[in-house]
Amino acid sequence: MCLVLPKLRILFNVGKTNRKGEVSNEVFTSIFTYGGGVEHSPRLGFDGFTKLYRHPELVSGSTTVKNLITWSPGHLITSQKFAFTLAEVLVSLAIIGVVAAMTIPTLMVNINSRQWSTAATVFERKLDEAMKNMNTLQTVSGHKTTLSFVEELSKHFKTSKICNNDDIQSCFSSTVMWGAGTATPEEVDMSKITQAKHFGLDWGTELIGVQFANGVSGVVAYNPKCSGDPLSNQFKGSSCISMLYDVSANKDPNTSGKDLKNYGVINKLAGSSCAFEIDGTCFGTPFVPNSYHTWNACKDDYTSDDPEDQAYMQKYGLNYCYPGNDYFAKAAETCGGTSKMAQMSDLATIANYIFGTTEIGEYTENSGLTIAVDPSTLGFYEVLRALSIWSGEESTSYNYKINHRSFSMGRASSSFDSTGTGTTFRYSIADYNYAVCLGD
């Protein structure tokens, strides 16, 4: 501590005090500065200190320094104390409240979005495993109804409740918001969603409600034309079923692109066929073409003289075939023809929307971009830092290829920062290859 008096500065360290806060004679180690001179004192008692240092200018009479010092922090600290006024405290609290009100909602949205995405990834991984087990046991195909399939699925993926076609609301939300990415998502009455055709699928089967033991609830449609291959490790369950599922156990917001997800193809939901809408163009739910079409007699020049093959090509607007697993043909069939698939101009529209720009052209290469809209909110999920979207346009240079648009991340980037176009094989398939149908 430091006590400042005229011409006398006393700097001392206090080892301890008694219970009354008084300093004993034995605990001073002092350095005294007097009139510009400095003298170092050994451990002097308080009495020794008063005998050595008395100065007539300090006080009059016989008063000593000892008489002037009372061991009290209030006496030794001579600087002025400062404090905040009540008004300053209230203003500070108001500012903190405003900042919290602005940042906490955004923070919670980001946290919820991350939790929903993680829950969806885990759920679909487990569902894929169950479907692969069924494929290995040859129980994934041959079902004539969705109910028959779901009952078999429950043997491989634990369920807590199965709801019949006329009581789906006992397992699933009564209303949902369908149309993520649009300004005003459409509210859909799920009591009217009872058939596969209400998913935009021509399967002729009913919808069944399911509550899984992990808290996820869903509405399932089964494709009776599903064909398994017990010897294949490439089997995808989404080629046999379509499911609208809710990872938040029917709690709000029940909105597609948020807690509401789809497994497999859902082209529309009742009266709405738009999963998202951009600049007036209606797009269906993006899907990975996991199943393929097998041609009867496709030749090496990628044409066929077989009447059935030709009829199929004419029906779905295909110019070529592929003598093997033709995934592109199946994607065209799913959308109802190549003309009902997103074209290269439509993919440019999607790219401009994702990156928040208007500079991306139909066949341009663009880099150094910044994500404006998370692609996952539209139904596109990156895998291995890449994303590819097929168009409905077959390549005129290579008959076994189709035109597509790709999105990629730089090495130091955690999100897409470039997009380009090119051609890709119609017979190859990967988890990051998507197709998207045009809505009504």
Side-chain angles (χ1 to χ4, degrees):
M1 294 184 180
C2 184
L3 174 62
V4 181
L5 296 173
K7 295 188 179 182
L8 175 62
R9 178 174 296 130
I10 305 172
L11 180 63
F12 55 87
N13 296 324
V14 178
K16 60 182 179 179
T17 64
N18 60 23
R19 292 184 178 179
K20 296 181 179 180
E22 299 172 342
V23 184
S24 63
N25 280 346
E26 293 78 23
V27 296
F28 281 127
T29 300
S30 308
I31 299 176
F32 304 101
T33 302
Y34 177 73
V38 178
E39 177 178 347
H40 295 269
S41 170
R43 298 180 61 86
L44 295 177
F46 209 110
D47 293 335
F49 165 64
T50 57
K51 292 175 181 178
L52 288 173
Y53 293 91
R54 298 181 60 187
H55 194 276
E57 293 183 11
L58 294 177
V59 292
S60 61
S62 61
T63 306
T64 65
V65 176
K66 178 180 179 180
N67 299 134
L68 294 176
I69 299 177
T70 301
W71 178 246
S72 167
H75 292 156
L76 293 177
I77 299 173
T78 60
S79 60
Q80 184 178 359
K81 295 182 178 180
F82 292 94
F84 292 108
T85 65
L86 177 60
E88 290 172 329
V89 172
L90 293 177
V91 169
S92 299
L93 291 176
I95 293 173
I96 292 172
V98 170
V99 173
M102 294 173 62
T103 58
I104 290 178
T106 301
L107 179 62
M108 292 304 299
V109 167
N110 292 336
I111 292 174
N112 288 337
S113 179
R114 209 172 292 120
Q115 290 176 337
W116 293 328
S117 180
T118 300
T121 299
V122 172
F123 173 75
E124 292 195 12
R125 185 181 297 121
K126 292 182 177 179
L127 183 57
D128 277 333
E129 291 174 357
M131 296 289 286
K132 287 179 180 179
N133 289 337
M134 293 174 65
N135 177 55
T136 301
L137 297 173
Q138 301 184 50
T139 59
V140 72
S141 58
H143 301 279
K144 294 183 179 180
T145 65
T146 302
L147 178 59
S148 173
F149 167 81
V150 170
E151 289 175 343
E152 179 63 31
L153 175 65
S154 65
K155 299 175 184 178
H156 306 271
F157 197 155
K158 190 173 182 180
T159 59
S160 57
K161 190 175 184 179
I162 297 175
C163 300
N164 290 326
N165 175 258
D166 59 352
D167 190 31
I168 292 178
Q169 284 66 52
S170 294
C171 287
F172 200 75
S173 301
S174 58
T175 59
V176 299
M177 300 302 293
W178 178 259
T182 62
T184 53
E186 177 184 351
E187 183 175 280
V188 178
D189 182 359
M190 291 301 295
S191 65
K192 299 179 181 179
I193 311 299
T194 59
Q195 303 295 322
K197 66 181 180 180
H198 295 145
F199 281 0
L201 303 172
D202 188 20
W203 290 352
T205 52
E206 84 283 19
L207 298 180
I208 294 294
V210 184
Q211 286 185 347
F212 295 92
N214 60 4
V216 175
S217 59
V219 179
V220 186
Y222 175 75
N223 182 4
K225 295 181 180 180
C226 166
S227 58
D229 182 359
L231 301 179
S232 173
N233 60 0
Q234 301 296 321
F235 175 78
K236 293 285 187 179
S238 55
S239 63
C240 291
I241 66 170
S242 284
M243 181 189 303
L244 180 68
Y245 66 93
D246 188 344
V247 297
S248 64
N250 302 335
K251 297 178 182 178
D252 289 340
N254 298 332
T255 301
S256 55
K258 293 183 179 180
D259 59 338
L260 200 63
K261 311 286 186 179
N262 64 283
Y263 178 86
V265 180
I266 297 180
N267 291 324
K268 67 178 183 178
L269 201 58
S272 172
S273 60
C274 300
F276 60 94
E277 186 175 347
I278 303 173
D279 296 338
T281 301
C282 176
F283 296 94
T285 302
F287 64 96
V288 176
N290 291 320
S291 57
Y292 53 83
H293 177 73
T294 302
W295 301 92
N296 294 331
C298 188
K299 299 182 293 185
D300 291 340
D301 63 353
Y302 310 106
T303 63
S304 176
D305 296 327
D306 180 82
E308 188 174 335
D309 286 348
Q310 290 181 343
Y312 185 92
M313 294 170 70
Q314 182 177 5
K315 180 177 181 179
Y316 296 113
L318 297 164
N319 297 318
Y320 305 103
C321 59
Y322 180 76
N325 300 336
D326 197 335
Y327 287 94
F328 176 70
K330 193 66 175 180
E333 177 185 342
T334 300
C335 290
T338 55
S339 62
K340 295 184 179 180
M341 297 178 68
Q343 306 299 298
M344 290 301 292
S345 59
D346 299 315
L347 299 186
T349 298
I350 293 175
N352 277 308
Y353 182 70
I354 289 175
F355 289 112
T357 183
T358 57
E359 298 177 357
I360 300 173
E362 192 170 340
Y363 290 96
T364 62
E365 306 281 334
N366 303 79
S367 60
L369 303 170
T370 301
I371 288 287
V373 176
D374 185 350
S376 66
T377 63
L378 306 180
F380 300 104
Y381 300 91
E382 62 89 9
V383 177
L384 300 177
R385 304 174 64 85
L387 169 65
S388 173
I389 309 176
W390 289 0
S391 74
E393 302 175 16
E394 296 171 285
S395 171
T396 56
S397 301
Y398 306 96
N399 300 343
Y400 54 91
K401 290 187 175 183
I402 56 174
N403 297 329
H404 77 124
R405 174 166 287 280
S406 61
F407 299 79
S408 59
M409 301 179 187
R411 290 185 177 181
S413 175
S414 60
S415 61
F416 295 126
D417 57 9
S418 62
T419 180
T421 62
T423 58
T424 187
F425 300 105
R426 62 192 294 152
Y427 56 81
S428 64
I429 186 62
D431 289 339
Y432 54 83
N433 281 332
Y434 281 87
V436 58
C437 307
L438 296 175
D440 298 331

